Amino acid sequence: KAGVTQTPRYLIKTRGQQVTLSCSPISGHRSVSWYQQTPGQGLQFLFEYFSETQRNKGNFPGRFSGRQFSNSRSEMNVSTLELGDSALYLCASRTPGSEAFFGQGTRLTVV
Amino acid sequence: QQQVKQSPQSLIVQKGGISIINCAYENTAFDYFPWYQQFPGKGPALLIAIRPDVSEKKEGRFTISFNKSAKQFSLHIMDSQPGDSATYFCAASIQSSGDKLTFGTGTRLAVRP
């Protein structure tokens, strides 16, 4: 069974640009969550989608947004990038009653 | 607001020794407490998890101890091996509220040969 796939693995963007990250969950998993991991703040919850609906949202500014498609694939978008947005962005998928499986993440560097 | 506090920040243990990582939480609504292991360049992977209706859960060399009244839980790694060297995160969630995990700050474990 294929794991959670995140693309791209690495990304370098300039301040002020926007970026879109993609997450393909494990087949059959309808819940997708996104987390930001930084050395200073650790792992912080961004948002969760289930069956194309946002079910939970963390304490991030409105520049951070996401969506989920009918095939459960999810994207997150960050607009007007800031240097502080440099982080590892992790996606996790699960099915009800199971554990959350994480992808390897997308390493975003803002210069 | 730091809802899950984890200590120590780093830990060095000799091969064969016991590694102990502690976490404390504030929100009494939390009802699911997983531990994740993360290797460099990888995403976190679930190691073991516990619910508050039990005080201890053991899987192989890994044991979670849970103290509901103190709002604390800990991970014990018995017979620690160099391959256990990784960063460990405790987490907590409210299962009825979806999949939001609140993580501790992480413990970097190094097991010396």
Side-chain angles (χ1 to χ4, degrees):
Chain A
K1 198 176 201 181
V4 178
T5 303
Q6 292 189 245
T7 56
R9 289 292 313 279
Y10 303 92
L11 207 48
I12 300 176
K13 288 287 187 179
T14 305
R15 270 183 304 174
Q17 286 186 314
Q18 75 164 17
V19 67
T20 299
L21 313 181
S22 179
C23 171
S24 293
I26 292 172
S27 178
H29 288 194
R30 292 161 61 193
S31 170
V32 173
S33 300
W34 288 88
Y35 293 82
Q36 181 195 64
Q37 185 174 22
T38 59
Q41 299 297 318
L43 281 148
Q44 292 191 291
F45 173 80
L46 280 156
F47 25 66
E48 177 208 350
Y49 287 88
F50 181 81
S51 294
E52 301 179 68
T53 301
Q54 188 179 87
R55 192 158 66 171
N56 268 309
K57 190 177 190 305
N59 297 323
F60 279 81
R63 300 185 296 106
F64 291 81
S65 63
R67 59 178 175 168
Q68 187 180 32
F69 301 95
S70 58
N71 61 358
S72 294
R73 189 178 71 86
S74 178
E75 289 181 347
M76 69 163 280
N77 184 77
V78 188
S79 62
T80 320
L81 284 165
E82 301 176 359
L83 295 179
D85 297 332
S86 295
L88 180 66
Y89 289 89
L90 291 159
C91 164
S93 78
R94 68 185 288 267
T95 196
S98 82
E99 64 179 272
F101 292 86
F102 283 83
Q104 291 191 315
T106 293
R107 172 74 63 185
L108 172 65
T109 302
V110 183
V111 298
Chain B
Q1 182 187 6
Q2 179 64 44
Q3 291 195 49
V4 179
K5 295 183 180 180
Q6 184 171 346
S7 63
Q9 190 172 5
S10 62
L11 183 61
I12 300 174
V13 173
Q14 289 298 124
K15 179 182 176 182
I18 302 173
S19 304
I20 301 174
I21 304 170
N22 300 298
C23 284
Y25 63 97
E26 300 167 9
N27 189 346
T28 55
F30 286 143
D31 58 5
Y32 177 67
F33 303 88
W35 284 89
Y36 285 85
Q37 180 189 56
Q38 185 177 29
F39 292 104
K42 302 289 187 182
L46 180 70
L47 201 56
I48 186 172
I50 198 168
R51 299 183 194 280
D53 52 345
V54 298
S55 60
E56 185 175 282
K57 183 175 181 180
K58 184 176 180 179
E59 289 185 2
R61 296 184 294 110
F62 302 93
T63 300
I64 298 179
S65 297
F66 185 83
N67 186 329
K68 188 174 181 178
S69 60
K71 293 186 287 184
Q72 295 175 346
F73 57 112
S74 61
L75 175 70
H76 295 232
I77 306 174
M78 312 300 286
D79 187 26
S80 298
Q81 299 297 311
D84 296 331
S85 297
T87 301
Y88 292 81
F89 294 92
C90 62
S93 72
I94 304 170
Q95 294 266 272
S96 61
S97 298
D99 295 338
K100 176 183 176 181
L101 288 164
T102 300
F103 283 89
T105 49
T107 296
R108 185 170 292 183
L109 171 66
V111 181
R112 300 292 188 225

